[in-house]
């Protein structure tokens, strides 16, 4: 595949803005494209805020941060696709919206451009149905917040060539991420694991086994610390497979296998309480508690990354 210099990120929301910032940090020229000018303004503000945090934490110098900011262009004009070497789409998570976008964009880009979607779990093979040259298209699933979390899932759809999957993986490696290649199953690997955990947490609260705060503590002070440096299979090896086999023998049948969203998740969703994005979720985020929580998360993730990967 050709050398990549110009990257277009389509969708300048939560994910796109942070992904753009990451590529710019590693010297790529980045265009953040969005249909809404207000989204572009918000993205620019968010990237500046993230940069202030990174400078204050010594992750980048003031000069590096200023150079990074200059490498990002914000636009709602489609002509950016004409010179793209790599397009990563991070727009709305709806198949029909992604189809409309890719049907057009794949015909505007150079024939040898590499293409990827940051979908959280929609089928890469289904998205590819409308793409001109589907062999150059695959999944590149970043994890929120993309500028801090190392994992990227690379998804090889039915039509994705080995060469394109490798090129997407190489782009992840080029920005110091930890890519993992997974097949095109719903939710890929990360969201299958994450949602299995969430379902059991909701079940624990609904059954009165533990309160939401206690469930969060169990994760933060117990499993989370383990899983920051060991995977579940490594944890089993260290604890003993005989122990885990015996626990599984009596516990699997007692765990939730509900098929629909339920409990507190359904309740908050129906009330329109979506979390930090609108002031209330499982917890209260009014009066600046939203920004406080985001700052706390970013500082802790930065410290953790320093411990684990430097
Ligand atoms: N938020 C997460 O935790 C997360 C994690 C991993 C993957 N994702 C995936 O990334 C994608 C984006 O998620 P997000 O959280 O950044 O959403 P978001 O709502 O914050 O941002 C989406 C942006 O796309 C823009 N947009 C919508 N239609 C467009 C179009 N046709 N062309 C250009 N721009 C368009 C919107 O204006 C908005 O700015 C989704 O597919 C989502 O599933 C999200």
């Amino acid at each position: 595949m050709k050398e990549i210099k110009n990257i277009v990120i389509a969708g300048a929301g939560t994910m796109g803005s942070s992904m753009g910032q990451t590529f710019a940090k590693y010297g790529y020229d980045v265009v953040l494209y969005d249909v809404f000018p207000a989204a572009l303004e918000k993205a620019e503000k968010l990237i500046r805020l993230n940069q202030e945090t990174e400078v204050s934490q010594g992750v980048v110098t003031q000069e590096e941060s200023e150079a990074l900011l200059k490498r990002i262009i914000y636009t709602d004009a489609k002509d950016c696709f004409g010179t793209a070497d790599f397009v990563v789409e991070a727009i709305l998570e709806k198949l029909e919206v992604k189809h409309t976008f890719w049907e057009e964009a794949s015909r505007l880009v150079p024939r040898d451009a590499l293409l990827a979607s940051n979908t959280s779990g929609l089928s890469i093979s289904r998205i590819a149905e409308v793409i001109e040259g589907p062999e150059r298209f695959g999944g590149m699933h970043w994890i929120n917040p993309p500028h801090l979390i190392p994992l990227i899932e690379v998804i090889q759809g039915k039509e994705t060539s080995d060469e394109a999957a490798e090129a997407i993986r190489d782009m992840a490696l080029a920005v110091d991420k930890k890519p993992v290649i997974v097949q095109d199953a719903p939710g890929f690997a990360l969201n299958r694991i994450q949602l299995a955990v969430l379902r059991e947490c909701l079940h624990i609260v609904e059954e009165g086994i533990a309160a939401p705060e206690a469930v969060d503590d169990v994760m933060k002070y117990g499993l989370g610390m383990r899983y920051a440096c060991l995977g579940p299979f490594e944890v089993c090896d260290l604890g003993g497979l005989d122990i885990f086999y015996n626990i599984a023998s009596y516990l699997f049948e007692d765990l939730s296998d509900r098929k629909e969203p339920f409990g507190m998740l359904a309740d908050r969703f129906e009330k329109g309480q979506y979390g930090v994005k609108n002031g209330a979720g499982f917890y209260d985020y009014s009066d600046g508690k939203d920004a406080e929580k985001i700052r706390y998360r970013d500082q802790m993730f930065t410290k953790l990354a320093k411990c684990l990967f430097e």
Side-chain angles (χ1 to χ4, degrees), residues 70-102:
K70 283 194 192 127
R71 283 194 285 272
I72 306 175
I73 291 171
Y74 302 84
T75 188
D76 60 356
K78 288 179 186 156
D79 51 7
C80 60
F81 292 104
T83 51
D85 301 320
F86 184 29
V87 177
V88 190
E89 165 270 306
I91 67 173
L92 210 64
E93 184 76 347
K94 279 203 180 343
L95 186 64
E96 57 278 19
V97 177
K98 291 200 192 285
H99 269 168
T100 308
F101 168 80
W102 278 115

Side-chain angles (χ1 to χ4, degrees), residues 11 13-15 33-34 36 39 90-91 93 98 118 120 141-142 144:
T14 310
M15 298 301 288
Y33 164 82
D34 202 289
F36 295 111
I91 67 173
E93 184 76 347
K98 291 200 192 285
N118 182 47
S120 299
H141 179 220
W142 299 60
N144 191 31

